[in-house]
Amino acid sequence: MSSDTSTRPGNIVILTGAGISKESGLDTFRCADGIWSRVNLEDVATPEGFARDPELVHAFYNARREKLSDPAVQPNAAHAALARLEAEWPAEVLLVTQNIDDLHERAGSREIIHMHGELNKVRCQACEHLVVWPDALSLEHTCAGCGRKGTLRPHVVWFGEMPLEMERIYDALSQCSLFVSIGTSGQVYPAAGFVSHVRMYTRARTVELNLEPSTGATLFEEAFYGPASGVVPAFVERLLAGRS
Ligand code: APR
């Protein structure tokens, strides 16, 4: 079932995953050479792993922060196309990303929810004080909010924790005319369930843009496969021209 977006543009919700940042030089998680092929996710992406060995977890995120600040890592044509869509589309465009990098912001996107947190922020486990932190973090650092030492953790949602701003996300999903999923394997919930939510509660059109069919590929009405830097700008161009 398709919506009437060609005659009366409606709101768009876009979900992005690690695949959109791959061509910017950042690793995905589940590709053959992905992060989870080298590192045990229970060790670095769970509250239990952090409690067990905080220094290991800090080292993992410090390395990712350092990589993100590498001048070679820049937004690619897919990030730029989504910023253009937000600027030019006559209704609301909400970008929901599972990515903790800041490449969408650097490309110019403004309406964005980082449902899995942000690499360049840390927060205090004791007082919840949240602060921008692009540098290395260690147990020696002190929270500027409560003055305690060793309580800061990456502002990242780990497995077993609740993703951020879910109410706002489901509100937007329930009111959209188009849902587009980009560069995600569809293996991690709740994001993997967004397409089903949209299909159950709206008449919105659902589209997958990915390198290859994701786990939930059959749930989408339409799909375009290829590198994000190609398929995303092409899709946005057609959408803005009223041809898609
Ligand atoms: N263009 C488009 N898609 C690509 C590209 C590319 N250049 N390269 C890879 N992909 C696709 C892969 O085919 C895969 O389907 O991107 C997807 C990446 O999947 P994952 O590595 O599983 O990343 P993601 O879906 O974002 O992971 C979800 O899992 O570990 C957690 O918290 C982490 O946010 C992450 C979540």
Side-chain angles (χ1 to χ4, degrees), residues 111-176:
E111 282 300 312
I112 174 165
I113 294 177
H114 281 275
M115 64 179 289
H116 290 171
E118 294 172 76
L119 187 55
N120 282 339
K121 290 182 181 169
V122 303
R123 72 169 190 273
C124 177
Q125 297 211 98
C127 75
E128 295 297 315
H129 184 72
L130 181 67
V131 61
V132 173
W133 196 286
D135 308 313
L137 178 63
S138 84
L139 294 172
E140 296 307 310
H141 286 111
T142 300
C143 171
C146 65
R148 284 184 235 196
K149 189 172 146 187
T151 55
L152 296 172
R153 60 162 275 180
H155 183 52
V156 165
V157 176
W158 288 325
F159 287 93
E161 297 182 323
M162 184 64 81
L164 309 176
E165 299 198 58
M166 292 310 296
E167 204 176 318
R168 201 177 141 210
I169 293 172
Y170 281 116
D171 277 353
L173 290 171
S174 301
Q175 293 165 29
C176 72

Coordinates of all heavy atoms in Angstrom, one line a residue, residues 111-176:
E111 N 17.3 17.8 12.5 CA 16.3 17.0 13.3 C 16.7 15.6 13.3 O 16.5 14.8 12.5 CB 14.9 17.1 12.5 CG 14.2 18.4 12.7 CD 13.9 18.7 14.2 OE1 13.4 17.8 14.9 OE2 14.2 19.8 14.7
I112 N 17.5 15.3 14.4 CA 18.1 14.0 14.5 C 18.1 13.5 15.9 O 18.3 14.2 16.9 CB 19.6 14.1 14.0 CG1 20.3 12.8 14.2 CG2 20.4 15.3 14.6 CD1 21.6 12.7 13.4
I113 N 17.8 12.2 16.0 CA 17.8 11.5 17.3 C 18.8 10.4 17.2 O 18.8 9.5 16.4 CB 16.4 10.8 17.6 CG1 15.3 11.9 17.8 CG2 16.5 10.0 18.8 CD1 13.9 11.4 18.0
H114 N 19.8 10.5 18.2 CA 20.8 9.4 18.3 C 20.2 8.4 19.3 O 20.5 8.5 20.5 CB 22.1 10.0 18.8 CG 22.9 10.7 17.8 ND1 23.8 10.0 16.9 CD2 23.0 12.0 17.4 CE1 24.4 10.9 16.1 NE2 23.9 12.1 16.4
M115 N 19.5 7.4 18.8 CA 18.8 6.5 19.7 C 19.8 5.6 20.5 O 19.4 5.1 21.6 CB 17.8 5.6 19.0 CG 18.3 4.7 17.9 SD 17.0 3.7 17.2 CE 16.5 2.6 18.5
H116 N 21.0 5.4 20.0 CA 22.0 4.6 20.7 C 23.1 5.5 21.3 O 24.2 5.0 21.7 CB 22.7 3.6 19.8 CG 21.7 2.5 19.4 ND1 22.0 1.6 18.4 CD2 20.5 2.2 19.8 CE1 21.0 0.7 18.3 NE2 20.1 1.1 19.1
G117 N 22.8 6.8 21.5 CA 23.8 7.7 22.1 C 24.8 8.3 21.2 O 24.6 8.2 20.0
E118 N 25.7 9.0 21.8 CA 26.7 9.8 21.0 C 28.1 9.5 21.5 O 28.4 9.7 22.7 CB 26.4 11.3 21.0 CG 25.1 11.6 20.4 CD 24.7 13.1 20.6 OE1 25.3 13.9 20.0 OE2 23.8 13.3 21.4
L119 N 29.0 9.2 20.6 CA 30.4 8.9 20.9 C 31.1 10.1 21.6 O 31.9 9.9 22.5 CB 31.2 8.5 19.6 CG 32.6 7.9 19.8 CD1 32.7 6.8 20.7 CD2 33.1 7.5 18.4
N120 N 30.8 11.3 21.1 CA 31.5 12.5 21.6 C 30.8 13.1 22.9 O 31.0 14.3 23.1 CB 31.6 13.6 20.5 CG 32.7 13.2 19.5 OD1 33.6 12.5 19.9 ND2 32.6 13.8 18.3
K121 N 30.1 12.3 23.6 CA 29.6 12.8 24.9 C 29.8 11.7 25.9 O 29.9 10.5 25.6 CB 28.0 13.0 24.8 CG 27.7 14.2 24.0 CD 26.2 14.5 23.9 CE 25.9 15.7 23.1 NZ 24.5 15.8 22.8
V122 N 30.0 12.1 27.2 CA 30.1 11.2 28.3 C 29.1 11.7 29.4 O 28.8 12.8 29.4 CB 31.5 11.1 28.9 CG1 32.5 10.7 27.8 CG2 32.0 12.4 29.5
R123 N 28.8 10.7 30.3 CA 27.9 11.1 31.4 C 28.3 10.4 32.7 O 29.0 9.4 32.6 CB 26.4 10.9 31.0 CG 26.0 9.4 31.0 CD 24.5 9.3 31.0 NE 24.1 7.9 31.2 CZ 24.0 7.0 30.2 NH1 24.3 7.3 29.0 NH2 23.6 5.8 30.5
C124 N 27.9 11.1 33.8 CA 28.3 10.6 35.1 C 27.3 9.5 35.5 O 26.1 9.7 35.5 CB 28.3 11.7 36.1 SG 28.7 11.2 37.7
Q125 N 27.8 8.4 35.9 CA 27.0 7.3 36.4 C 26.3 7.6 37.8 O 25.3 7.1 38.2 CB 27.8 6.0 36.6 CG 28.4 5.5 35.3 CD 28.5 3.9 35.4 OE1 27.7 3.2 34.9 NE2 29.6 3.5 36.0
A126 N 27.0 8.6 38.5 CA 26.5 8.9 39.8 C 25.4 10.0 39.7 O 24.3 9.9 40.4 CB 27.6 9.4 40.7
C127 N 25.6 11.1 38.9 CA 24.7 12.2 38.9 C 24.0 12.5 37.6 O 23.3 13.4 37.5 CB 25.4 13.5 39.5 SG 26.5 14.2 38.3
E128 N 24.4 11.7 36.6 CA 23.8 11.8 35.2 C 24.2 13.1 34.5 O 23.7 13.4 33.4 CB 22.2 11.7 35.2 CG 21.7 10.4 35.7 CD 22.1 9.3 34.7 OE1 22.0 9.4 33.5 OE2 22.5 8.2 35.2
H129 N 25.2 13.8 35.0 CA 25.7 15.0 34.3 C 26.2 14.6 33.0 O 27.1 13.7 32.9 CB 26.8 15.6 35.2 CG 27.4 16.9 34.6 ND1 26.6 18.1 34.7 CD2 28.5 17.2 34.0 CE1 27.4 19.1 34.1 NE2 28.5 18.5 33.7
L130 N 25.8 15.3 31.9 CA 26.1 15.0 30.5 C 27.0 16.0 30.0 O 26.7 17.2 30.1 CB 24.8 14.8 29.7 CG 24.9 14.5 28.2 CD1 25.4 13.0 28.1 CD2 23.6 14.6 27.6
V131 N 28.1 15.6 29.3 CA 29.0 16.6 28.8 C 29.7 16.2 27.5 O 29.8 15.0 27.2 CB 30.1 16.9 29.9 CG1 30.9 15.7 30.2 CG2 31.0 18.0 29.5
V132 N 29.9 17.2 26.6 CA 30.6 16.9 25.3 C 32.0 16.5 25.7 O 32.7 17.2 26.5 CB 30.6 18.2 24.4 CG1 31.4 18.0 23.2 CG2 29.1 18.5 24.0
W133 N 32.5 15.4 25.0 CA 33.8 14.9 25.4 C 34.5 14.2 24.2 O 34.4 13.0 24.0 CB 33.6 13.9 26.6 CG 34.9 13.5 27.3 CD1 35.9 12.7 26.8 CD2 35.3 13.9 28.6 NE1 36.9 12.6 27.8 CE2 36.5 13.4 28.9 CE3 34.6 14.8 29.6 CZ2 37.2 13.6 30.1 CZ3 35.3 14.9 30.8 CH2 36.5 14.4 31.0
P134 N 35.2 15.0 23.4 CA 35.7 14.4 22.2 C 37.1 13.7 22.4 O 37.6 13.1 21.5 CB 35.9 15.7 21.2 CG 36.0 16.8 22.1 CD 35.3 16.5 23.4
D135 N 37.6 13.8 23.7 CA 38.9 13.3 23.9 C 38.9 11.9 24.6 O 37.8 11.4 24.8 CB 39.7 14.3 24.8 CG 39.6 15.6 24.3 OD1 39.9 15.8 23.1 OD2 39.3 16.6 25.0
A136 N 40.1 11.4 24.9 CA 40.1 10.1 25.6 C 39.6 10.2 27.0 O 39.7 11.3 27.7 CB 41.6 9.6 25.7
L137 N 38.9 9.2 27.5 CA 38.3 9.2 28.8 C 39.0 8.1 29.7 O 39.3 7.0 29.1 CB 36.8 8.9 28.7 CG 36.0 8.7 30.0 CD1 36.0 10.1 30.8 CD2 34.5 8.3 29.7
S138 N 39.2 8.4 31.0 CA 39.8 7.3 31.8 C 39.2 7.4 33.2 O 38.4 8.3 33.5 CB 41.3 7.6 31.9 OG 41.6 8.5 32.9
L139 N 39.6 6.4 34.0 CA 39.0 6.4 35.4 C 39.6 7.5 36.3 O 39.1 7.7 37.4 CB 39.4 5.0 36.0 CG 38.7 3.8 35.4 CD1 39.3 2.5 35.9 CD2 37.2 3.9 35.6
E140 N 40.6 8.2 35.7 CA 41.2 9.3 36.5 C 40.4 10.6 36.4 O 40.6 11.5 37.1 CB 42.6 9.6 36.0 CG 43.6 8.4 36.2 CD 43.6 8.0 37.7 OE1 43.7 8.9 38.6 OE2 43.4 6.8 37.9
H141 N 39.5 10.7 35.4 CA 38.7 11.9 35.2 C 37.6 12.1 36.3 O 37.1 11.1 36.8 CB 38.1 11.9 33.8 CG 39.1 12.2 32.7 ND1 39.5 11.2 31.8 CD2 39.8 13.3 32.4 CE1 40.4 11.7 31.0 NE2 40.6 13.0 31.4
T142 N 37.4 13.4 36.5 CA 36.4 13.8 37.6 C 35.2 14.4 36.9 O 35.3 15.1 36.0 CB 37.1 14.8 38.5 OG1 38.2 14.2 39.1 CG2 36.1 15.3 39.6
C143 N 34.0 14.1 37.4 CA 32.8 14.6 36.9 C 32.7 16.1 37.3 O 32.8 16.4 38.5 CB 31.6 13.8 37.5 SG 30.0 14.6 37.1
A144 N 32.4 17.0 36.3 CA 32.2 18.4 36.6 C 30.9 18.7 37.4 O 30.8 19.8 38.0 CB 32.3 19.2 35.4
G145 N 30.0 17.8 37.3 CA 28.7 18.0 38.0 C 28.8 17.7 39.5 O 28.4 18.5 40.3
C146 N 29.3 16.5 39.9 CA 29.3 16.1 41.3 C 30.7 16.0 41.9 O 30.8 15.8 43.1 CB 28.6 14.8 41.5 SG 29.4 13.4 40.7
G147 N 31.7 16.2 41.1 CA 33.1 16.2 41.6 C 33.6 14.8 41.9 O 34.8 14.7 42.4
R148 N 32.9 13.7 41.6 CA 33.4 12.4 41.9 C 34.4 11.9 40.8 O 34.2 12.3 39.6 CB 32.3 11.4 42.0 CG 31.6 11.5 43.4 CD 30.5 10.5 43.5 NE 29.2 11.1 43.8 CZ 28.2 10.5 44.3 NH1 28.2 9.2 44.5 NH2 27.1 11.2 44.5
K149 N 35.3 11.1 41.2 CA 36.3 10.6 40.3 C 35.9 9.2 39.8 O 35.5 8.4 40.6 CB 37.7 10.6 41.0 CG 38.8 10.3 40.1 CD 40.1 10.5 40.9 CE 41.2 9.5 40.4 NZ 42.4 9.5 41.2
G150 N 36.2 8.9 38.5 CA 36.0 7.6 38.0 C 34.5 7.2 37.7 O 34.2 6.0 37.5
T151 N 33.6 8.2 37.7 CA 32.2 7.8 37.5 C 31.7 8.1 36.1 O 30.6 7.8 35.8 CB 31.3 8.6 38.5 OG1 31.6 10.0 38.2 CG2 31.6 8.3 39.9
L152 N 32.6 8.7 35.2 CA 32.1 9.0 33.9 C 32.1 7.8 33.0 O 33.0 6.9 33.0 CB 33.1 10.1 33.3 CG 33.0 11.4 34.0 CD1 34.1 12.3 33.4 CD2 31.7 12.1 33.8
R153 N 31.1 7.7 32.1 CA 31.0 6.5 31.2 C 30.7 7.1 29.8 O 30.1 8.2 29.7 CB 30.0 5.5 31.6 CG 28.6 6.1 31.7 CD 27.5 5.0 31.7 NE 27.1 4.6 30.4 CZ 26.2 3.7 30.1 NH1 25.6 3.1 31.0 NH2 25.9 3.4 28.8
P154 N 30.9 6.4 28.7 CA 30.5 6.8 27.4 C 29.0 7.0 27.4 O 28.3 6.2 28.0 CB 30.9 5.7 26.5 CG 32.0 4.9 27.2 CD 31.7 5.1 28.7
H155 N 28.5 8.0 26.7 CA 27.1 8.3 26.6 C 26.6 7.5 25.4 O 26.2 8.0 24.3 CB 26.8 9.8 26.4 CG 25.3 10.1 26.3 ND1 24.4 9.7 27.2 CD2 24.6 10.8 25.3 CE1 23.2 10.1 26.9 NE2 23.3 10.8 25.7
V156 N 26.6 6.1 25.6 CA 26.3 5.2 24.5 C 25.3 4.2 25.1 O 25.5 3.8 26.3 CB 27.6 4.5 24.0 CG1 27.3 3.2 23.2 CG2 28.5 5.5 23.3
V157 N 24.3 3.8 24.3 CA 23.4 2.8 24.8 C 23.9 1.4 24.6 O 24.2 1.0 23.5 CB 22.0 2.9 24.1 CG1 21.0 1.9 24.6 CG2 21.4 4.3 24.4
W158 N 24.1 0.6 25.7 CA 24.7 -0.7 25.6 C 23.6 -1.7 25.5 O 22.4 -1.5 25.8 CB 25.6 -1.0 26.8 CG 26.9 -0.2 26.7 CD1 27.6 0.1 25.6 CD2 27.6 0.4 27.8 NE1 28.7 0.8 25.9 CE2 28.8 1.0 27.3 CE3 27.4 0.4 29.2 CZ2 29.7 1.6 28.0 CZ3 28.4 1.1 30.0 CH2 29.5 1.7 29.4
F159 N 23.9 -2.9 25.1 CA 22.9 -4.0 25.1 C 22.4 -4.2 26.5 O 23.1 -4.2 27.4 CB 23.6 -5.3 24.5 CG 23.8 -5.3 23.1 CD1 25.0 -4.8 22.6 CD2 22.8 -5.6 22.1 CE1 25.3 -4.7 21.2 CE2 23.0 -5.4 20.8 CZ 24.3 -5.0 20.3
G160 N 21.0 -4.3 26.5 CA 20.4 -4.5 27.9 C 19.9 -3.1 28.4 O 19.2 -3.1 29.4
E161 N 20.3 -2.0 27.7 CA 19.8 -0.7 28.2 C 18.8 -0.2 27.2 O 18.7 -0.6 26.1 CB 21.0 0.3 28.2 CG 22.1 -0.1 29.2 CD 23.2 0.9 29.3 OE1 23.7 1.4 28.3 OE2 23.7 1.0 30.4
M162 N 18.0 0.8 27.7 CA 16.9 1.4 26.9 C 17.4 2.4 25.9 O 18.0 3.4 26.3 CB 15.9 2.0 27.9 CG 14.6 2.5 27.2 SD 13.7 1.2 26.4 CE 12.8 0.6 27.8
P163 N 17.1 2.3 24.6 CA 17.5 3.3 23.7 C 16.8 4.6 24.0 O 15.8 4.7 24.7 CB 17.0 2.8 22.3 CG 17.0 1.3 22.5 CD 16.6 1.1 23.9
L164 N 17.4 5.7 23.5 CA 16.9 7.1 23.9 C 15.8 7.6 23.0 O 15.6 7.2 21.9 CB 18.1 8.0 23.8 CG 19.4 7.6 24.5 CD1 20.6 8.6 24.2 CD2 19.2 7.4 26.0
E165 N 14.9 8.4 23.7 CA 13.9 9.1 23.0 C 12.9 8.3 22.2 O 12.4 8.6 21.2 CB 14.4 10.2 22.0 CG 15.3 11.2 22.8 CD 15.5 12.5 22.0 OE1 14.5 13.1 21.6 OE2 16.7 12.9 21.8
M166 N 12.6 7.1 22.8 CA 11.7 6.2 22.1 C 10.3 6.7 21.9 O 9.6 6.4 20.9 CB 11.6 4.8 22.8 CG 12.9 4.0 22.8 SD 13.6 3.9 21.1 CE 12.3 2.9 20.4
E167 N 9.8 7.5 22.9 CA 8.4 8.0 22.7 C 8.3 8.9 21.5 O 7.4 8.8 20.7 CB 8.0 8.8 24.0 CG 6.5 8.8 24.2 CD 6.2 9.5 25.6 OE1 6.9 9.2 26.6 OE2 5.3 10.3 25.6
R168 N 9.3 9.8 21.4 CA 9.3 10.7 20.3 C 9.5 10.0 18.9 O 8.8 10.3 17.9 CB 10.5 11.7 20.4 CG 10.3 13.0 19.6 CD 11.5 13.9 19.9 NE 11.9 14.6 18.7 CZ 13.1 15.0 18.4 NH1 14.1 14.9 19.2 NH2 13.3 15.6 17.2
I169 N 10.2 8.9 18.9 CA 10.4 8.1 17.7 C 9.1 7.4 17.3 O 8.7 7.5 16.2 CB 11.6 7.1 17.9 CG1 12.9 7.8 18.1 CG2 11.6 6.1 16.7 CD1 14.0 6.8 18.5
Y170 N 8.5 6.8 18.3 CA 7.2 6.1 17.9 C 6.1 7.1 17.5 O 5.3 6.8 16.6 CB 6.8 5.2 19.1 CG 7.5 3.9 19.1 CD1 8.4 3.5 20.1 CD2 7.5 3.0 18.0 CE1 9.1 2.3 20.1 CE2 8.2 1.8 18.0 CZ 9.0 1.5 19.1 OH 9.7 0.3 19.0
D171 N 6.1 8.3 18.1 CA 5.1 9.3 17.7 C 5.4 9.6 16.2 O 4.4 9.7 15.4 CB 5.3 10.6 18.5 CG 4.6 10.5 19.8 OD1 3.9 9.5 20.0 OD2 4.8 11.4 20.7
A172 N 6.6 9.9 15.9 CA 7.0 10.2 14.5 C 6.7 9.1 13.5 O 6.1 9.3 12.4 CB 8.4 10.6 14.4
L173 N 7.0 7.9 13.9 CA 6.7 6.7 13.1 C 5.2 6.6 12.8 O 4.7 6.2 11.7 CB 7.2 5.4 13.7 CG 8.7 5.2 13.8 CD1 9.1 4.0 14.7 CD2 9.3 5.1 12.4
S174 N 4.4 6.9 13.8 CA 2.9 6.7 13.7 C 2.3 7.8 12.9 O 1.1 7.7 12.5 CB 2.3 6.8 15.1 OG 2.8 5.8 15.9
Q175 N 3.1 8.9 12.6 CA 2.5 10.0 11.8 C 3.2 10.2 10.4 O 3.1 11.2 9.8 CB 2.6 11.3 12.6 CG 1.7 11.3 13.8 CD 2.1 12.4 14.8 OE1 2.5 13.4 14.4 NE2 1.8 12.1 16.0
C176 N 4.0 9.2 10.0 CA 4.8 9.4 8.8 C 4.1 8.9 7.6 O 3.2 8.0 7.7 CB 6.2 8.9 8.9 SG 6.3 7.1 8.8

